[in-house]
């Protein structure tokens, strides 16, 4: 049976959601983050990088969210959750599927890093570290993040979903950046369409089922 190696509070929640949307049977092997928020070393027995998400299926071990989504859609989708080939919507689908991790997550990860560093610095160095991190956030990270959030807002003005007027797996992939931006990037300030997108996905029954099976889910708060 298809197995999801599921790390709590991680991108693997999207994989559970996709499987619930497709109605594909699966089992979950659970892993808990360590106190420093890193994945446990047991995940390295599944994949050398020890990251999540990872799935195993029919002798295949597949990592990376985008690759997993492409595999699941090709193997179990039967044409669902992906636009028809050779259409503008299909091109948008491919773009958002790769943009989510390739571009969107970079400023969000930097935001998290520069926010945490002062809290974890030695007490004597904390004021200096906080000053450097605040400068990086103000000059570099926050402007980039705002640019991305404004971009999402503009694209969602063109259609209800990222790849067009139909919900697709690209929306599942894009859910994590938007949820992270809501948690730590100020998405709620001036981005009503992006916030409405989050409301729509959170209302989907398959999203709720995935949360029930995957456990509590809180992104970067």
């Amino acid at each position: 049976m298809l197995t999801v190696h599921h790390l709590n509070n991680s991108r693997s929640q999207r994989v559970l959601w996709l499987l619930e949307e497709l109605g594909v049977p699966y089992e979950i092997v659970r892993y808990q983050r360590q106190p420093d928020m890193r994945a446990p070393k047991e995940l390295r027995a599944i994949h050398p990088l020890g990251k999540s998400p990872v799935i195993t299926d029919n002798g295949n071990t597949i990592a990376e969210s985008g690759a997993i989504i492409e595999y699941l859609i090709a193997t179990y989708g039967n044409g669902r959750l992906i636009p028809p080939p050779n259409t503008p919507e299909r091109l948008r689908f491919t773009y958002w599927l790769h943009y989510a991790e390739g571009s969107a997550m970079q400023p969000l990860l930097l935001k998290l890093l520069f926010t945490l560093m002062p809290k974890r610095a030695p007490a004597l160095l904390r004021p200096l570290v906080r000053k450097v991190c605040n400068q990086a956030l103000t000059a570099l990270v926050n402007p980039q993040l705002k640019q991305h959030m404004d971009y999402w807002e503009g694209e969602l003005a063109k259609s209800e979903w990222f790849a067009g007027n139909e919900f697709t797996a690209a929306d599942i992939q894009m859910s994590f950046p938007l949820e992270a931006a809501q948690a730590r990037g100020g998405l709620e300030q001036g981005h009503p369409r992006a916030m409405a997108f989050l409301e729509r996905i959170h209302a989907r029954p398959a999203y709720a089922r995935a949360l029930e099976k995957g456990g509590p889910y809180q992104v970067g708060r």
Side-chain angles (χ1 to χ4, degrees), residues 49-81:
L49 294 181
K51 303 291 185 180
S52 182
V54 178
I55 67 169
T56 50
D57 186 41
N58 292 323
N60 300 307
T61 299
I62 306 163
E64 295 293 338
S65 300
I68 291 171
I69 288 175
E70 287 189 294
Y71 172 83
L72 293 175
I73 291 293
T75 306
Y76 299 104
N78 295 317
R80 294 172 293 167
L81 299 183

Side-chain angles (χ1 to χ4, degrees), residues 20 30 36 51 59 75 81 86 116 121 126 139 143 145 154 162 178 198 201:
E20 291 294 330
R30 301 178 187 277
D36 61 5
K51 303 291 185 180
T75 306
L81 299 183
N86 303 316
L116 289 177
R126 199 165 296 153
L145 183 53
F162 276 101
L178 268 73
L198 290 178
I201 65 171

Side-chain angles (χ1 to χ4, degrees), residues 4-25:
V4 180
H5 297 271
H6 175 60
L7 180 67
N8 66 306
N9 275 347
S10 78
R11 293 161 169 83
S12 60
Q13 188 67 35
R14 289 183 297 196
V15 178
L16 302 182
W17 177 19
L18 175 57
L19 289 168
E20 291 294 330
E21 292 280 359
L22 293 174
V24 177

